[in-house]
Amino acid sequence: MEEDITALPASGPMLSRKDFVSDQLVRWCPGCGDFAILATIQKLLPSLGIPREKYVFVSGIGCSSRFPYYMNTYGFHSIHGRAPTFATGLKCVRPDLQVWVVTGDGDGLSIGGNHLIHALRRNVDIKILLFNNKIYGLTKGQTSPTSEQGKKTKSTPQGSVDYPVNPVNIALASEATFVARAVDTDLPFLTEVLRRAALHKGLAFVEIFQNCIVFNDGAWAEVSEKALRDDTTLTLQHGKPLVFGKDKNRGIRLKNGFVPETVEFEPGKPPRDLLVHDEKAPNATLAHLIAHLERPYFPVPQGVFRSVERPVLHELIDEQVAQAKKAGSADLQKLLAGSENWVVRSA
Ligand SMILES: Cc1ncc(C[n+]2csc(CCOP(=O)(O)OP(=O)(O)O)c2C)c(N)n1
Ligand code: SF4
């Protein structure tokens, strides 16, 4: 990167988008959805008032994982699927840094699925952005864990037999404290979701629907095109009933206990039994139910599914270390030769 950012004063002049643009040639295909996400983040960061030298972008492997090269911040293009693990270590030793992870649906949910789940459950104070294009882009179009059943690719010429995962539900099941979803074609909405993620203390997970124009073009067309999205998406608002449609005349309610259904009503007169969103609910049951709303029967929910508080990993570790120090120094030799050891003898 062209300049030494450590030389900048922590409270220097107001930064602009340009300050976050690196001198690296962007190597994504023309028209790739990654461009819009990159531009949105470069525009958002200066408004957060965090010094540039405090940002670190960590990624794994994939087209999306080239992201750190294009940010004029610290960054680490790490190992396939392991970005959350690198980020966990970094945040624990340098809690003053704002650590962002950029991963793809292949990187984060195939090879890195295990690493992702454990970062989520530990409430590491990092932001994880999962660019979901429902395909492996970098390796030229094989199915990923989010590809739909029946998807024909070079690796699945007769159609994939695997059932896809829903990243938001994985994050909720792993007890992430902030879980959200946005689309790469609605930039004002994406900006607000990312702003909330940035301000959340604890792990913030954001799934971003991203178009891979070369190997899976139009995978999200139904929910990303302006002309369609009013009727195919549901924007979540805390404390508000689940209402959608161009005329705001449809909503979601439960029937037979726990089964969601769509109901139509006169605009401005929603029925009283519509489900009301609660992103602060102490358990994730409602968020799970909402996250399971999928096409073609329901609109696709976007926005913040869950935002709750829980102690963050590095603070818990620091507390434990402080307590252990208070208890006095330990004798390693005594520990190794303690009462719980055995001598194994041959017969
Ligand atoms: C250990 C290892 N296994 C597999 C690969 C091949 N590989 C590189 S990127 C990738 C998946 C990329 O897909 P995704 O994370 O969805 O990112 P995208 O390129 O679509 O942004 C795979 C399988 C590799 N580089 N290393
Ligand atoms: S292959 Fe797809 S995801 Fe990768 S840069 Fe090209 S359009 Fe983007």
Side-chain angles (χ1 to χ4, degrees):
M1 307 217 173
E2 64 194 335
E3 86 195 85
D4 176 11
I5 55 175
T6 55
L8 287 176
S11 55
M14 265 293 281
L15 298 171
S16 74
R17 187 188 78 83
K18 274 204 239 149
D19 295 304
F20 287 89
V21 177
S22 83
D23 61 351
Q24 299 296 298
L25 183 69
V26 183
R27 293 183 189 276
W28 291 319
C29 310
C32 174
D34 289 353
F35 283 97
I37 306 170
L38 174 67
T40 303
I41 292 176
Q42 286 168 335
K43 219 166 134 187
L44 169 72
L45 297 195
S47 72
L48 298 178
I50 297 169
R52 187 170 46 150
E53 68 272 21
K54 295 286 184 191
Y55 286 108
V56 186
F57 280 79
V58 185
S59 67
I61 302 295
C63 298
S64 38
S65 288
R66 296 192 58 77
F67 203 90
Y69 293 120
Y70 309 137
M71 294 297 297
N72 196 14
T73 61
Y74 286 106
F76 196 167
H77 188 189
S78 76
I79 304 175
H80 206 5
R82 272 61 176 172
T85 311
F86 279 82
T88 300
L90 179 61
K91 185 68 191 183
C92 287
V93 293
R94 286 290 306 270
D96 58 309
L97 299 178
Q98 248 249 344
V99 182
W100 295 66
V101 166
V102 174
T103 183
D105 41 300
D107 184 63
L109 296 168
S110 288
I111 192 167
N114 199 29
H115 292 258
L116 179 68
I117 286 170
H118 294 289
L120 294 165
R121 78 179 169 92
R122 287 168 148 172
N123 200 28
V124 192
D125 188 16
I126 57 176
K127 323 296 150 209
I128 300 183
L129 311 182
L130 189 140
F131 294 13
N132 184 5
N133 54 20
K134 299 210 269 186
I135 205 84
Y136 291 175
L138 188 78
T139 46
K140 298 187 165 40
Q142 301 80 15
T143 51
S144 88
T146 55
S147 302
E148 62 275 17
Q149 238 174 358
K151 179 81 181 167
K152 285 191 177 170
T153 68
K154 280 173 228 149
S155 62
T156 54
Q158 293 178 307
S160 170
V161 291
D162 295 338
Y163 196 79
V165 297
N166 175 330
V168 162
N169 269 320
I170 290 201
L172 292 169
S174 308
E175 298 295 340
T177 52
F178 182 95
V179 181
R181 178 189 281 150
V183 187
D184 66 0
T185 50
D186 186 351
L187 302 188
F189 190 77
L190 175 62
T191 304
E192 279 324 299
V193 167
L194 293 177
R195 184 189 307 282
R196 286 202 53 195
L199 298 177
H200 177 74
K201 184 170 177 189
L203 197 138
F205 176 87
V206 183
E207 177 190 17
I208 306 173
F209 292 169
Q210 173 251 330
N211 193 38
C212 170
I213 197 167
V214 175
F215 296 109
N216 208 12
D217 192 23
W220 299 115
E222 202 186 8
V223 292
S224 64
E225 282 179 16
K226 221 172 178 175
L228 304 174
R229 66 188 182 215
D230 280 345
D231 290 318
T232 55
T233 63
L234 166 67
T235 301
L236 301 173
Q237 287 178 285
H238 178 59
K240 297 273 168 63
L242 303 186
V243 169
F244 69 102
K246 211 171 270 153
D247 302 319
K248 297 269 170 272
N249 65 337
R250 276 177 284 165
I252 308 289
R253 70 178 174 197
L254 297 182
K255 63 170 179 184
N256 303 334
F258 228 56
V259 184
E261 69 171 354
T262 298
V263 58
E264 263 191 58
F265 53 87
E266 211 180 302
K269 294 186 180 166
R272 286 166 151 243
D273 58 353
L274 288 187
L275 264 178
V276 174
H277 184 41
D278 180 4
E279 62 184 37
K280 309 269 175 221
N283 72 57
T285 309
L286 175 67
H288 268 295
L289 189 138
I290 294 172
H292 271 115
L293 299 176
E294 289 172 333
R295 301 297 298 155
Y297 305 107
F298 295 102
V300 174
Q302 55 169 355
V304 178
F305 290 77
R306 191 159 199 230
S307 177
V308 293
E309 284 177 26
R310 215 173 61 225
V312 296
L313 181 70
H314 68 264
E315 290 179 359
L316 291 173
I317 291 176
D318 286 352
E319 260 172 47
Q320 208 170 60
V321 169
Q323 266 172 18
K325 279 184 177 163
K326 241 194 253 166
S329 53
D331 184 341
L332 183 62
Q333 212 42 50
K334 209 165 133 194
L335 181 72
L336 292 175
S339 56
E340 301 223 356
N341 59 46
W342 296 265
V343 176
V344 180
R345 292 199 175 86
S346 56

